[in-house]
Amino acid sequence: QTVAKSPPDGYTLLVSAAGEIVTNPHLYKTKMPYDPQRDLAAITNVVNMPNVLIVNTDVPVNNVAELIAYAKANPGKVNYAAGSTPVHIAGEWLKIASGIDIVAIPYKGTAPQVTAVLANEVSMTFDPFLGFAHLKSGKMRALAVTSQKRSSMLPEVPTMEEAGVKGLVVETWIGLFAPIGTPKAALDLLQSEGLKFLQAQATKDRLASLSYDPIGMTTEPFAKLIDQDLVRWQQAVQRTGIKVNK
């Protein structure tokens, strides 16, 4: 809201996760104080953050098919940590798409949900790669990623689509924006410098250490992605029956 109402002079910018741009418009009945398409100019997509379906190693499954079979054999006994809206939507989507009875356990953020899986408080979660180190150490098991394509960080892990759950794509991103009306010359400069920064090897290495996939898009494909995601998240909210806030 602050950025949307700031002077469009190229000096006030927004770094935002996808939720505030493409998810929130479908989660609130009352009108938000900003319209992401009307009030913000997309500059570039900075990083992509797919989720990975992880389970505690005590859960006797090695892939998504085995997880579904296990959940069907134990209805209502398999739970998952939901520390964010995308994670909650992914869990409910899996529940509906595979016909299993799993229970959402709310957590205050995605970091606590990883801890919950490690402590065996819950059976599983959809983690935005915060638990990557625990996967490498074997303390948790990765079954699938929720992105459209396999992640470069876990190339051996299949997508949900490849694992047999059709249509389940839940990935988010972080983007760079300016107030609408910012001069094109300023937007072009911000975009070109931003892309140079993202393409630098030091940047790629640092982002990889944080479990982020650096992307970098020009305005047109990034704006198109936003339009597509607005439709996709609307369908996801409707399909999963996630309760809309007042």
Side-chain angles (χ1 to χ4, degrees), residues 7 9-10 30 36 43 59 69 73 76 81 92 107 117 128 144 146 153 180 196-197 212 214:
D9 55 12
T30 55
I43 298 174
V59 181
E92 294 305 296
Y107 282 84
V117 175
T146 64
M153 288 178 285
I180 201 74
K196 287 179 186 177
F197 176 75
Y212 291 146

Side-chain angles (χ1 to χ4, degrees), residues 72-124:
K72 287 183 176 179
N74 298 274
K77 294 182 180 180
V78 177
N79 52 22
Y80 72 95
S84 71
T85 298
V87 172
H88 196 176
I89 287 177
E92 294 305 296
W93 198 329
L94 174 62
K95 180 177 179 178
I96 293 168
S98 57
I100 58 177
D101 179 12
I102 54 177
V103 181
I105 308 296
Y107 282 84
K108 293 182 178 180
T110 49
Q113 73 181 19
V114 174
T115 303
V117 175
L118 283 170
N120 206 15
E121 292 177 6
V122 294
S123 307
M124 64 181 200

Side-chain angles (χ1 to χ4, degrees), residues 109-157:
T110 49
Q113 73 181 19
V114 174
T115 303
V117 175
L118 283 170
N120 206 15
E121 292 177 6
V122 294
S123 307
M124 64 181 200
T125 193
F126 288 86
D127 171 49
F129 281 30
L130 293 176
F132 190 62
H134 301 301
L135 291 175
K136 295 182 73 173
S137 68
K139 294 180 180 179
M140 297 187 298
R141 188 177 299 124
L143 302 187
V145 293
T146 64
S147 47
Q148 296 186 44
K149 300 178 181 178
R150 293 194 182 197
S151 170
S152 59
M153 288 178 285
L154 291 172
E156 75 284 359
V157 177

